[in-house]
Amino acid sequence: GAGVSQSPRYKVAKRGQDVALRCDPISGHVSLFWYQQALGQGPEFLTYFQNEAQLDKSGLPSDRFFAERPEGSVSTLKIQRTQQEDSAVYLCASRSPSGSSYNEQFFGPGTRLTVL
Amino acid sequence: GDSVTQMEGPVTLSEEAFLTINCTYTATGYPSLFWYVQYPGEGLQLLLKATKADDKGSNKGFEATYRKETTSFHLEKGSVQVSDSAVYFCALKGYQKVTFGTGTKLQVIP
């Protein structure tokens, strides 16, 4: 595809439900990032993959958050037992492995999660 | 750790006015610096970037210069348009992850 895609675009969950958010990076991009953007704030780093390896998960706010990228392409961010404070836009980004765009992360449109 | 501080908004300007949005950063090493823009209802888009000291990034009439001595990367545009209304994020990239500021909302009125 032309860009990073995410699904669903919107998700409403009841408190305590588990959710799964999907990210399809740009083809050929080995690096993939997840960010959380609370209302009125800038995105905050959650976790980073290089291919299938999760190299940094220091931003995950609790052990209810889990991310995977088993085949080094599509990634899923899972949130277990959702809480109201998990309500945010979850952004996925991928990065070119080389070239002039190496430093740039390309962002998807995000998934807006609302926990009731 | 890394951090980015940018001026709080909202900023309201008349069309053709001069724009400055201040951004300062704290980082170890030599980060790359970015401005991202988020138009209403859309995702984050890279506006411009600079990868080393004294580099000037520019795009769509916007400019920002990487000032290592003042650890700043202020965004400027000489004449704003209504279509520039958006939220602007200053950001830095250290080793891998990107650290963002809180965003500055710009509203340009005709």
Side-chain angles (χ1 to χ4, degrees):
Chain A
V4 178
S5 61
Q6 294 185 244
S7 60
R9 291 292 311 276
Y10 303 91
K11 176 69 178 177
V12 178
K14 292 182 179 178
R15 189 173 54 182
Q17 277 186 323
D18 297 349
V19 298
L21 313 180
R22 176 187 169 105
C23 172
D24 281 84
I26 294 172
S27 178
H29 283 194
V30 302
S31 299
L32 184 146
F33 303 79
W34 283 98
Y35 294 84
Q36 180 191 57
Q37 186 177 14
L39 187 64
Q41 301 297 314
E44 294 195 359
F45 171 80
L46 292 177
T47 187
Y48 155 63
F49 290 85
Q50 185 152 321
N51 294 304
E52 68 279 3
Q54 188 174 19
L55 300 185
D56 186 346
K57 53 183 181 179
S58 61
L60 295 177
S62 78
D63 58 8
R64 296 186 295 104
F65 286 71
F66 173 76
E68 60 183 5
R69 195 185 184 198
E71 298 179 358
S73 179
V74 171
S75 177
T76 303
L77 176 67
K78 298 180 179 178
I79 309 173
Q80 297 177 324
R81 305 181 303 281
T82 52
Q83 302 296 313
Q84 285 188 321
E85 62 262 29
D86 300 335
S87 296
V89 176
Y90 291 85
L91 297 169
C92 176
S94 68
R95 188 180 70 201
S96 172
S98 63
S100 61
S101 297
Y102 174 67
N103 273 319
E104 179 182 352
Q105 294 184 14
F106 295 83
F107 283 83
T111 295
R112 182 178 296 277
L113 172 65
T114 302
V115 181
L116 303 177
Chain B
D2 297 346
S3 69
V4 176
T5 302
Q6 61 181 105
M7 63 187 289
E8 292 188 14
V11 174
T12 302
L13 294 174
S14 297
E15 204 166 24
E16 298 184 0
F18 184 85
L19 168 71
T20 300
I21 300 178
N22 289 337
C23 172
T24 57
Y25 67 90
T26 302
T28 54
Y30 303 95
S32 297
L33 301 176
F34 305 86
W35 278 98
Y36 281 85
V37 59
Q38 193 169 36
Y39 297 103
E42 299 186 14
L44 277 172
Q45 300 175 26
L46 180 67
L47 180 60
L48 54 83
K49 68 179 180 183
T51 58
K52 61 182 187 296
D54 300 325
D55 269 2
K56 177 185 285 188
S58 60
N59 186 25
K60 299 181 181 180
F62 291 89
E63 293 183 340
T65 301
Y66 190 143
R67 300 289 188 197
K68 191 172 185 297
E69 64 276 13
T70 54
T71 62
S72 64
F73 193 55
H74 304 321
L75 182 68
E76 296 183 337
K77 186 174 186 182
S79 176
V80 294
Q81 305 300 312
V82 172
S83 57
D84 295 326
S85 298
V87 181
Y88 292 82
F89 294 93
C90 184
L92 70 84
K93 175 185 167 295
Y95 177 57
Q96 294 292 354
K97 68 181 185 182
V98 177
T99 300
F100 289 85
T102 54
T104 302
K105 183 176 183 179
L106 170 65
Q107 183 177 10
V108 181
I109 55 178

